[in-house]
Amino acid sequence: MLKARIQDDIKAAMKGGDKQRLGALRLLSAAIKQREVDERIELDDSQVLAVLDKMVKQRRESIVQYEKGAREDLVAQERFEIDLLQAYMPEALSEQEISALIEAAITETGAASIKDMGRVMGQLKPKMQGRADMTQVSAQVKQQLAG
């Protein structure tokens, strides 16, 4: 399981004295535990991937803000954390794979306009969770449905 792998990596970082890695892994572990407590469930791998995906998205948004504020030290920390988080995620989809999945979802749902975007995204999200930036996927779906 992904959670066990994360815990093992926390132990390894503690033994190795890697404070930056340890801090990022503890943030991840805390986010997972918080969701488990909030929802009173034990997260499986797909739910852990959702937590990872959310954390990566938050860090990308933070990078934009830190760059506006000329805080390169914080940008570097966020990029480090993104790289660390992505190591636990499945291999990213290529542009061709994303396009093919979008086209298949549009065909399967019979989507014809922007009004059908929710159905298309609902079908794509489980297939792409943690493997593609859903913001970019959404933009591509919107573009295909609009034009």
Side-chain angles (χ1 to χ4, degrees):
M1 269 183 65
L2 210 44
K3 278 184 3 180
R5 186 173 146 212
I6 293 166
Q7 291 304 318
D8 291 343
D9 288 350
I10 288 174
K11 291 175 191 170
M14 287 172 85
K15 288 179 182 175
D18 188 347
K19 292 183 191 269
Q20 186 180 25
R21 183 174 173 79
L22 178 62
L25 288 169
R26 282 184 172 159
L27 284 173
L28 172 57
S29 179
I32 292 168
K33 286 178 184 171
Q34 183 65 50
R35 180 146 175 226
E36 287 179 336
V37 168
D38 289 349
E39 298 179 18
R40 293 185 174 96
I41 58 170
E42 181 82 18
L43 296 184
D44 62 16
D45 279 355
S46 66
Q47 293 165 319
V48 171
L49 279 176
V51 171
L52 283 163
D53 204 28
K54 181 179 178 185
M55 291 181 75
V56 168
K57 182 179 178 185
Q58 288 171 337
R59 272 139 190 83
R60 285 187 179 131
E61 291 169 358
S62 295
I63 285 173
V64 171
Q65 296 303 315
Y66 292 147
E67 285 175 340
K68 286 180 185 174
R71 292 294 310 266
E72 289 304 315
D73 56 327
L74 296 175
V75 169
Q77 176 64 26
E78 295 296 316
R79 286 198 173 119
F80 171 81
E81 290 178 12
I82 286 174
D83 290 342
L84 183 124
L85 294 170
Q86 286 180 331
Y88 296 100
M89 299 172 89
E91 188 176 325
L93 294 169
S94 69
E95 288 296 321
Q96 293 84 5
E97 291 171 316
I98 291 171
S99 295
L101 284 169
I102 290 171
E103 289 174 24
I106 289 172
T107 304
E108 288 174 28
T109 59
S113 70
I114 293 289
K115 293 179 183 177
D116 302 318
M117 188 163 169
R119 285 189 296 166
V120 174
M121 290 303 293
Q123 189 169 11
L124 289 173
K125 190 164 184 171
K127 295 176 184 175
M128 295 184 167
Q129 185 74 49
R131 298 181 68 200
D133 182 354
M134 294 309 289
T135 307
Q136 293 174 348
V137 171
S138 175
Q140 287 180 359
V141 170
K142 192 180 292 186
Q143 182 182 5
Q144 286 195 12
L145 291 176

